[in-house]
Amino acid sequence: MSGIIGQVGSRSNIINNLSGFIKRASEVTLSGTGTTFTNIPAYVNTIIISFYEVSLNGTANIKVQIGDSGGIETSSYEAVGGYFGAATYNEYYTSSFPITLQGAGREFSGNMILTNTGSNRWSESHSGYIDTNKIAGGGGAKTLSSILTQLKILAGSTDNFDKGYVNILYTG
């Protein structure tokens, strides 16, 4: 604990020193349709995806998809994403784990946690802040036919990312 306390001034230093977690890569600036993290080790059973001020140029939502050596999976998700604040909204997805924004230029900062519950069954939960004074949240489930090796963060519909950063941490 003392190693973290001495380095509180830097967000990246705190992330790099979380006991048991491995930082996957340098922070990625999101642009275009998104990014894919590949070569996730076979021993991984927990992944934290950290988003900072991520936004899209249209009204779609952020999507996260997972995959194994056969590729990224685009179906058979059971997931809900929504937000609450002055208004409440949610929607069901079968193509991804969604982070619901419902508005152009809205920024999301928060975390998505993926956990392998066994036999390649993954559960997902996320929460965070949308800059329009809303809280985003949701969860879901997805079973892969083999070991998770990759994950993709993408803009929904025909939108593109116009701002924001993302990184992943993982542990076995």
Side-chain angles (χ1 to χ4, degrees):
M1 189 74 169
S2 63
I4 291 175
I5 292 172
Q7 301 171 19
V8 168
S10 170
R11 175 173 54 106
S12 63
N13 283 340
I14 292 171
I15 290 172
N16 286 331
N17 288 300
L18 290 173
S19 179
F21 279 89
I22 296 172
K23 184 177 180 183
R24 166 68 171 116
S26 297
E27 192 171 65
V28 173
T29 302
L30 286 171
S31 63
T33 59
T35 191
T36 302
F37 291 92
T38 59
N39 299 317
I40 297 172
Y43 66 82
V44 170
N45 61 26
T46 302
I47 300 170
I48 300 173
I49 307 169
S50 298
F51 298 88
Y52 182 78
E53 294 184 350
V54 173
S55 72
L56 304 174
N57 65 355
T59 60
N61 297 314
I62 300 167
K63 296 181 177 184
V64 175
Q65 296 173 326
I66 58 176
D68 52 32
S69 60
I72 295 291
E73 303 238 350
T74 60
S75 63
S76 300
Y77 290 79
E78 296 179 40
V80 174
Y83 62 78
F84 63 93
T88 300
Y89 178 83
N90 66 64
E91 57 190 332
Y92 180 74
Y93 273 65
T94 59
S95 63
S96 66
F97 299 127
I99 297 175
T100 303
L101 299 176
Q102 290 296 308
R106 290 185 175 169
E107 296 174 0
F108 173 76
S109 296
N111 295 299
M112 178 179 282
I113 301 171
L114 301 170
T115 305
N116 184 354
T117 61
S119 301
N120 303 312
R121 292 185 301 267
W122 288 84
S123 64
E124 176 271 335
S125 65
H126 68 274
S127 63
Y129 174 74
I130 301 173
D131 69 336
T132 53
N133 296 321
K134 292 181 176 60
I135 301 295
K142 170 75 175 139
T143 300
L144 296 174
S145 58
S146 188
I147 296 168
L148 185 144
T149 61
Q150 56 189 316
L151 67 85
K152 184 175 187 175
I153 300 163
L154 63 152
S157 187
T158 59
D159 291 359
N160 287 303
F161 288 100
D162 60 6
K163 184 179 179 188
Y165 306 94
V166 67
N167 204 341
I168 66 171
L169 303 170
Y170 53 73
T171 188

